[in-house]
Amino acid sequence: MIHLKTISKTYSDQAITFHALTSVDLKIENGTICGIFGESGAGKSTLLRTINLLERPTSGEVWVNGTDLTSLSAEKLRQARHHIGMIFQHFNLLDSRTAFENIALPLELLHETPRTIKERVNALLTLVGLSDKSAHYPEQLSGGQKQRVAIARALATEPAILLCDEPTSALDNESKQSILNLLKEINAKLGVTIVIITHEMSVIKQICTHAAVIDHGKLIECGSVLQLFTQPASPITKKLVQHSLHIQLPPSLERELKTEKINTESLIVCFKFIGNESSRPLISNLIQKHGITVNIIQANIENIQDANIGFTVCQLSGTEKAIHEALDDAAKASVSTEIIGYV
Amino acid sequence: MFSLELTPLLTATIETLYMVFIASLISIATGLVLGSSLFVLSNKKASKRAIYQMIAFIINAIRSIPFIILMIAIIPLTRLIAGTTIGTNAAIVPLTIAAIPFYTRITETALSQVSTGLLEAANAMGASTFQTITKICIPESMPSLIHGATLTIIGLIGYSAMAGAIGGGGLGELAINYGYQRFDVVVMLETVVILIIMVQVIQASGDKLAKKRRIKPLILPTLLALILSVSYLVWPESNTNVLRIGVMSGWQEDVMQTAKALAQKDYKLSLKIIPFTDYTQPNMALANGSIDANIFQHQPFLDTQVKARKLALMSIGKTFVYPMGFYSTKIKTMSHLPYRGIVAIPNDPSNEARALLLLQKYGVITLKEGVSTLASTRDIVENPQQLRFKELDAAQLPRVLPDAELVAITNDFITSAKLSIQEALIKEDKDSPYANIIVIRIKDKADPAFNQLMDVMHSNEVRDKTMQLFPKGAAIPAW
């Protein structure tokens, strides 16, 4: 388990003090794929680098599988890092080495025998699907292939954790999908804990089991991705989720939408149904039982974490009492409801 | 006269290759280590920065010293390492010292250009500092390192030309000896052509290797060159029963070739001729045992040197007087010497005094009383013609004949400059104190080998050869 305990990081440059991270507390369970989401400059990159202490926090502790890395000597830390793989946005491969030699590098650092190296590297090349590119230099490989080599290199020492720094940001869509699938496959096959930072919700949606949202150096929210999408707690997360689910109101409604509770007789809500539940019984129930008008604006099904989640955005009109009871009923049916606004 | 035997050219080429190879090998290896250390230190915290600043200062200091000065300045170190201060091996020491700071900087710059992303990846992989340098930084910056090595080697070829000053040999010395001292354009061009080819080959190979990022093809040739160099290094040293004689490079070398052949034939005495291009080195080399005798100076010069440097040296006999003369292409006789005319004289203290004494003898100037063989232009007390004196390098003097009214030319350069002693307006006569002498260490005076050397130098063969090289009274036997 990775446990970041009240991590703070400040950069001081003479007069200016910059708080990159402020009291971040985060637990990542073994075997999960944890996405750290944030806009650029939010501090997600710094946060990722505190896990292997490439960035040493100004205060706080970094516990990785029962060891506080911040307490280790330089030599012990180097050894600990052999068990934490890392990949980068720009791959950071050695141009002077072939794909094979790049993957062999971490093993050479551990003084493995040529025989072991050869076996391990060939197995990894097969794993990432590049057996035929063994003797190619990075400049002869596409972006996606380079990232595959980087992944194989990061896995060479059989680490328990793989840190991914925006691994798909420099890739075209097709390569991006294949890299994400590969990471998911590695997590499933090898049980490696993956921590991935990204500024794309789609990455989180596609492969993460858990996610953390950070903004201005602070941890806003964290939990399972399912929870995050169906029950976002903070306004920032709500907005992100809406945006990533492409929930969009017609322009006429959008203009009238108020976030303050001024008119409680007409409001826009989003019902979220997990699994194969259908939204129809709920909606017809609302209409029949509570006598409110339901106008469906948008509905779609998203696949998150191999579960189908239905999103139904509708406008509810009726008396304040009826609407209140209707929403209570919906909550009882374990359908999460998010009030988008009032019109 | 303009013909060239293959041997000197070949020898010089081998000497240059040898000097440059060994110096390059050592300086590149050392520079790589020092440059890597600087690179590591430059990324460290304040405490380590102090060490960085110190090394950087030393490097800048060495780089700012002109090579010829560096060569003289580190003579004690050279002796410590090479065991001698003259010859090809001795030349390698200053060459290496001069090239190390250069390659250190090249390494530091090359390594600092490795992307921070790669360094971060190395760090994340748990690479030690040493592993980061050897496994990542050096292989990644290989093209820059190879380009830098090419620059260093070519720079060393340039520097090696100056090795002649300490008898280092090589193509540069050959070019100076023949081209500069003897006015032999053909030899000069030949050496220059070989140097150009050498530089081109090195540059082209460097570019090719840098492109391929591989130095593996270099390993075998380097090992081979190393083996050859070591055998070259050991070879001449096996012959111990040799008298090493220092002479001025130029015609004196030719005279000594005759002496060498005769010594071998009549006395079974092996002579090794060590040419010098500078007047101070032969006495220093003799005093410290790098050579066993020298024949290049006259008694007044030796006296000054012995006094100034406290050398335990002595003369065992005279060879020839090579009379100095004043020449002119502008005036026909001394009486035509114009008011405020330019008089060019040698700039080494001994020959400068010699020229001034000659002018005093003919009543052109008057010198301060008692200065004699130490006279300089500052000792002129009367100069009725208001002559303007220009002090130049001895070899440069024949070249300024069109620019000066009167030029003092030592005998070494008369033949080369296509002058004859008879054209001199005024010249020294046979009772001149400036006869060349054979000089040895005082403690060796009982060694019979030097009597044999004297006999050889006074032989008919040597006399004839000298008279042939210095015809029409340009050399007068002084024994």
Side-chain angles (χ1 to χ4, degrees):
Chain A
M1 190 177 70
I2 302 168
H3 189 182
L4 304 177
K5 285 185 184 170
T6 53
I7 297 291
S8 292
K9 173 82 186 180
T10 33
Y11 294 101
S12 299
D13 184 20
Q14 287 162 8
I16 309 147
T17 309
F18 174 68
H19 297 277
L21 294 173
T22 313
S23 298
V24 174
D25 226 283
L26 181 64
K27 277 187 191 172
I28 299 169
E29 298 294 337
N30 283 347
T32 59
I33 303 181
C34 180
I36 298 175
F37 179 88
E39 303 292 337
S40 48
K44 56 186 189 302
S45 185
T46 311
L47 184 63
L48 185 79
R49 282 165 171 72
T50 55
I51 298 175
N52 59 1
L53 288 193
L54 285 182
E55 291 280 359
R56 195 169 270 276
T58 316
S59 66
E61 292 170 7
V62 178
W63 289 79
V64 174
N65 291 329
T67 314
D68 176 12
L69 297 189
T70 55
S71 69
L72 296 182
S73 66
E75 182 58 33
K76 281 265 163 41
L77 178 61
R78 286 208 303 107
Q79 285 167 10
R81 279 176 179 158
H82 291 308
H83 307 293
I84 307 176
M86 188 168 186
I87 61 171
F88 305 85
Q89 180 177 357
H90 297 292
F91 326 122
N92 294 345
L93 297 177
L94 277 75
D95 293 332
S96 59
R97 287 177 167 238
T98 61
F100 184 100
E101 291 163 344
N102 263 290
I103 300 169
L105 179 61
L107 298 169
E108 288 174 23
L109 299 182
L110 286 172
H111 308 289
E112 296 285 358
T113 62
R115 210 187 128 114
T116 314
I117 291 177
K118 201 175 169 191
E119 278 172 15
R120 193 89 60 84
V121 174
N122 283 332
L124 284 162
L125 279 166
T126 312
L127 177 73
V128 299
L130 288 179
S131 303
D132 55 331
K133 300 278 190 271
S134 170
H136 285 53
Y137 285 93
E139 60 175 17
Q140 300 165 307
L141 299 173
S142 72
Q145 289 168 334
K146 283 184 207 173
Q147 195 60 288
R148 282 168 183 270
V149 174
I151 290 171
R153 180 176 72 179
L155 295 175
T157 51
E158 300 178 336
I161 298 167
L162 178 61
L163 305 178
C164 310
D165 178 9
E166 301 253 10
T168 58
S169 300
L171 300 178
D172 60 72
N173 199 43
E174 199 181 324
S175 309
K176 177 177 154 182
Q177 296 309 320
S178 76
I179 291 297
L180 291 177
N181 289 335
L182 177 62
L183 289 174
K184 207 167 172 177
E185 187 189 328
I186 285 163
N187 170 259
K189 262 192 195 166
L190 309 174
V192 175
T193 308
I194 295 179
V195 184
I196 182 165
I197 63 171
T198 181
H199 63 272
E200 296 170 292
M201 272 310 253
S202 62
V203 172
I204 305 259
K205 201 164 71 183
Q206 200 172 338
I207 67 162
C208 296
T209 58
H210 293 75
V213 177
I214 63 164
D215 189 49
H216 290 95
K218 290 183 179 129
L219 183 67
I220 302 295
E221 195 166 350
C222 73
S224 78
V225 170
L226 219 53
Q227 190 192 343
L228 219 63
F229 271 85
T230 54
Q231 296 162 319
S234 69
I236 292 172
T237 320
K238 278 180 189 170
K239 219 169 147 187
L240 285 168
V241 169
Q242 277 177 25
H243 186 75
S244 93
L245 295 175
H246 310 291
I247 291 174
Q248 203 161 15
L249 301 174
S252 57
L253 262 179
E254 179 84 59
R255 268 198 301 278
E256 289 170 36
L257 193 72
K258 309 275 188 313
T259 43
E260 309 94 65
K261 235 179 186 176
I262 37 158
N263 178 6
T264 50
E265 294 179 354
S266 178
L267 64 165
I268 309 286
V269 295
C270 176
F271 294 117
K272 297 168 188 175
F273 308 90
I274 300 163
N276 294 322
E277 278 179 51
S278 164
S279 63
R280 196 161 296 152
L282 175 77
I283 289 170
S284 53
N285 186 28
L286 291 180
I287 298 168
Q288 287 164 10
K289 193 176 165 191
H290 302 284
I292 56 172
T293 318
V294 177
N295 177 22
I296 296 179
I297 298 165
Q298 191 185 3
N300 66 346
I301 294 174
E302 284 277 345
N303 188 296
I304 295 172
Q305 278 298 294
D306 296 323
N308 289 323
I309 303 186
F311 295 87
T312 309
V313 180
C314 26
Q315 184 176 10
L316 306 182
S317 313
T319 63
E320 191 179 340
K321 186 166 168 281
I323 289 174
H324 188 76
E325 287 169 359
L327 292 181
D328 273 355
D329 259 17
K332 273 179 209 145
S334 68
V335 171
S336 47
T337 310
E338 185 190 329
I339 296 171
I340 295 172
Y342 305 86
V343 283
Chain B
M1 171 168 166
F2 286 115
S3 73
L4 173 82
E5 316 85 64
L6 184 65
T7 335
L9 194 61
L10 196 65
T11 312
T13 307
I14 291 169
E15 280 167 347
T16 293
L17 286 174
Y18 169 73
M19 271 191 289
V20 171
F21 172 72
I22 299 284
S24 301
L25 201 66
I26 300 172
S27 55
I28 288 172
T30 316
L32 205 56
V33 173
L34 280 176
S36 305
S37 314
L38 277 184
F39 170 71
V40 172
L41 288 172
S42 70
N43 291 330
K44 288 279 164 77
K45 294 271 174 323
S47 59
K48 301 278 174 70
R49 289 288 297 183
I51 307 174
Y52 175 85
Q53 303 284 4
M54 201 178 70
I55 301 178
F57 176 79
I58 295 171
I59 283 171
N60 289 342
I62 297 179
R63 287 191 63 191
S64 49
I65 300 172
F67 181 64
I68 189 89
I69 304 295
L70 181 77
M71 208 154 59
I72 308 296
I74 62 159
I75 276 179
L77 181 70
T78 305
R79 185 172 308 130
L80 197 71
I81 295 171
T84 169
T85 61
I86 58 150
T88 315
N89 288 330
I92 290 172
V93 179
L95 284 174
T96 309
I97 300 283
I100 287 174
F102 185 69
Y103 200 68
T104 300
R105 280 295 188 207
I106 281 175
T107 306
E108 190 199 355
T109 313
L111 298 191
S112 63
Q113 257 139 43
V114 172
S115 80
T116 48
L118 266 182
L119 296 178
E120 191 175 44
N123 212 352
M125 264 179 242
S128 65
T129 306
F130 180 75
Q131 286 174 327
T132 306
I133 297 291
T134 54
K135 292 258 175 204
I136 292 149
C137 294
I138 290 177
E140 281 297 295
S141 47
M142 199 49 91
S144 309
L145 290 173
I146 294 173
H147 278 306
T150 313
L151 274 180
T152 308
I153 295 169
I154 291 172
L156 279 173
I157 292 178
Y159 280 161
S160 76
M162 282 178 257
I166 56 169
L171 288 167
E173 192 197 28
L174 194 69
I176 290 173
N177 284 356
Y178 284 81
Y180 184 64
Q181 311 271 11
R182 297 196 215 181
F183 299 74
D184 186 338
V185 180
V186 176
V187 179
M188 188 170 69
L189 285 180
E190 277 171 329
T191 55
V192 168
V193 165
I194 292 182
L195 285 170
I196 290 174
I197 292 171
M198 235 181 237
V199 169
Q200 294 292 348
V201 167
I202 289 165
Q203 185 69 56
S205 331
D207 289 346
K208 205 172 160 190
L209 288 169
K211 211 168 172 182
K212 287 189 169 173
R213 299 172 147 273
R214 285 287 184 270
I215 50 161
K216 271 187 191 149
L218 277 182
I219 294 173
L220 197 68
T222 306
L223 280 178
L224 205 66
L226 200 60
I227 292 166
L228 285 175
S229 297
V230 169
S231 44
Y232 177 85
L233 183 69
V234 175
W235 209 284
E237 298 308 315
S238 60
N239 195 349
T240 48
N241 194 19
V242 174
L243 276 191
R244 294 159 301 174
I245 318 284
V247 297
M248 278 297 112
S249 71
W251 300 113
Q252 294 297 338
E253 279 181 83
D254 294 357
V255 172
M256 290 312 291
Q257 289 308 325
T258 307
K260 183 180 173 174
L262 189 71
Q264 190 66 53
K265 188 166 74 87
D266 288 1
Y267 300 95
K268 300 274 175 274
L269 180 67
S270 295
L271 300 185
K272 189 178 176 192
I273 314 304
I274 316 253
F276 288 85
T277 56
D278 156 295
Y279 284 127
T280 14
Q281 284 298 314
N283 280 336
M284 300 305 290
L286 178 56
N288 71 39
S290 298
I291 56 176
D292 304 306
N294 67 48
I295 308 173
F296 79 102
Q297 62 197 324
H298 38 65
Q299 193 67 46
F301 184 79
L302 177 65
D303 292 345
T304 338
Q305 292 256 306
V306 164
K307 206 167 159 191
R309 296 168 192 265
K310 309 215 174 350
L311 305 173
L313 304 180
M314 62 176 284
S315 161
I316 55 168
K318 294 181 176 182
T319 59
F320 297 87
V321 178
Y322 297 97
M324 176 190 270
F326 274 89
Y327 298 80
S328 179
T329 51
K330 289 193 158 186
I331 56 169
K332 291 270 181 286
T333 70
M334 287 301 282
S335 54
H336 291 159
L337 191 60
Y339 183 74
R340 290 182 60 75
I342 295 175
V343 179
I345 58 172
N347 65 357
D348 58 289
S350 151
N351 279 316
E352 180 176 341
R354 188 175 174 185
L356 294 174
L357 287 172
L358 185 55
L359 285 177
Q360 174 170 255
K361 187 175 174 189
Y362 283 88
V364 182
I365 53 166
T366 311
L367 294 166
K368 208 196 287 179
E369 235 171 283
V371 289
S372 176
T373 55
L374 292 170
S376 78
T377 47
R378 276 172 302 173
D379 300 312
I380 300 171
V381 288
E382 273 178 48
N383 181 5
Q385 299 267 77
Q386 295 292 306
L387 298 170
R388 290 176 292 165
F389 289 90
K390 300 282 176 208
E391 292 148 300
L392 302 173
D393 184 71
Q396 193 60 31
L397 287 163
R399 294 180 171 87
V400 300
L401 274 169
D403 307 309
E405 271 69 35
L406 212 50
V407 181
I409 301 178
T410 50
N411 214 280
D412 305 327
F413 303 107
I414 295 177
T415 318
S416 320
K418 302 205 164 50
L419 291 169
S420 105
I421 188 80
Q422 281 136 328
E423 294 169 47
L425 301 186
I426 52 177
K427 59 175 187 256
E428 291 168 341
D429 49 28
K430 59 180 181 292
D431 56 339
S432 159
Y434 291 100
N436 265 15
I437 49 178
I438 304 169
V439 178
I440 61 164
R441 285 179 292 272
I442 292 173
K443 67 180 173 69
D444 289 342
K445 65 181 174 191
D447 190 334
F450 293 109
N451 293 331
Q452 296 174 344
L453 178 64
M454 272 262 278
D455 291 346
V456 169
M457 292 310 291
H458 291 172
S459 67
N460 292 337
E461 287 87 342
V462 170
R463 193 188 63 204
D464 292 347
K465 180 71 182 174
T466 309
M467 303 296 242
Q468 179 201 330
L469 288 170
F470 299 91
K472 298 173 188 161
I476 308 161
W479 63 89

